[in-house]
Amino acid sequence: MLPTVTSDSWFLRVPRSNLISLYSLGCSISSPHFRSTNLSFFLSHYRVSYERDTKIVNAASFTIEREDHTIGNILRMQLHRDPNVLFAGYKLPHPLQYKIIVRIHTTSQSSPTQAYNQAIDDLDKELQSLKIAFEDEVKRLKADQGY
């Protein structure tokens, strides 16, 4: 995934497969109408901006628009699993602003961007397997009940 560079701050577009996995878990219990109308809007307007920390080596902030504690906490916990991550945290700047700021500080063997991308990829795989297990269990229950 190559970013578009604009001065010292650049924008990343999260791969659609990652967003679909993160988003579909919440949509699986929603109505089909909600899923079809809002998913395309959600995917087309999703942005992550990156800003390198000028005072600390291997540290950066990622601003994720249109997200809250749900994605922030999952992403923070996944970053904590990476041995190259020294610090990972997030904050909501203000309750009325619908964005989170994720701070990542890594060792010299990794960069914040690599850690972020690895965490997103790992979450994608984990949530995909959870979705498959859930769908398999629903199919099993429907078969047992004769649906």
Side-chain angles (χ1 to χ4, degrees):
M1 171 171 58
L2 295 175
T4 306
V5 178
T6 59
S7 71
D8 200 22
S9 172
W10 40 279
F11 292 91
L12 300 171
R13 216 116 153 96
V14 177
R16 285 179 179 251
S17 62
N18 294 340
L19 286 176
I20 290 169
S21 294
L22 291 172
Y23 189 68
S24 65
L25 191 59
C27 277
S28 64
I29 58 173
S30 299
S31 69
H33 174 72
F34 176 83
R35 189 179 315 147
S36 64
T37 56
N38 289 346
L39 184 59
S40 61
F41 174 80
F42 179 82
L43 291 175
S44 65
H45 291 85
Y46 200 88
R47 283 215 178 283
V48 177
S49 63
Y50 166 88
E51 187 174 349
R52 186 173 48 94
D53 193 328
T54 57
K55 296 179 182 177
I56 302 172
V57 178
N58 287 336
S61 295
F62 295 86
T63 303
I64 305 172
E65 300 288 337
R66 294 176 183 83
E67 288 301 340
D68 58 6
H69 289 290
T70 305
I71 297 299
N73 198 33
I74 290 172
L75 185 57
R76 179 185 63 86
M77 292 304 294
Q78 187 65 38
L79 285 163
H80 281 215
R81 293 179 184 172
D82 188 346
N84 290 322
V85 174
L86 300 173
F87 173 81
Y90 77 96
K91 68 177 181 176
L92 265 99
H94 191 274
L96 297 177
Q97 291 179 340
Y98 199 47
K99 68 180 179 181
I100 59 172
I101 300 171
V102 179
R103 296 247 327 129
I104 305 171
H105 182 201
T106 61
T107 62
S108 59
Q109 287 84 22
S110 181
S111 72
T113 307
Q114 289 172 334
Y116 176 84
N117 287 332
Q118 184 63 43
I120 293 292
D121 290 342
D122 292 345
L123 283 171
D124 184 36
K125 292 174 190 166
E126 191 173 330
L127 291 173
Q128 190 67 10
S129 67
L130 181 65
K131 180 182 173 188
I132 290 169
F134 178 78
E135 289 171 349
D136 290 346
E137 189 64 21
V138 167
K139 287 178 187 174
R140 188 186 67 76
L141 286 172
K142 284 184 178 180
D144 289 348
Q145 295 177 358
Y147 285 112

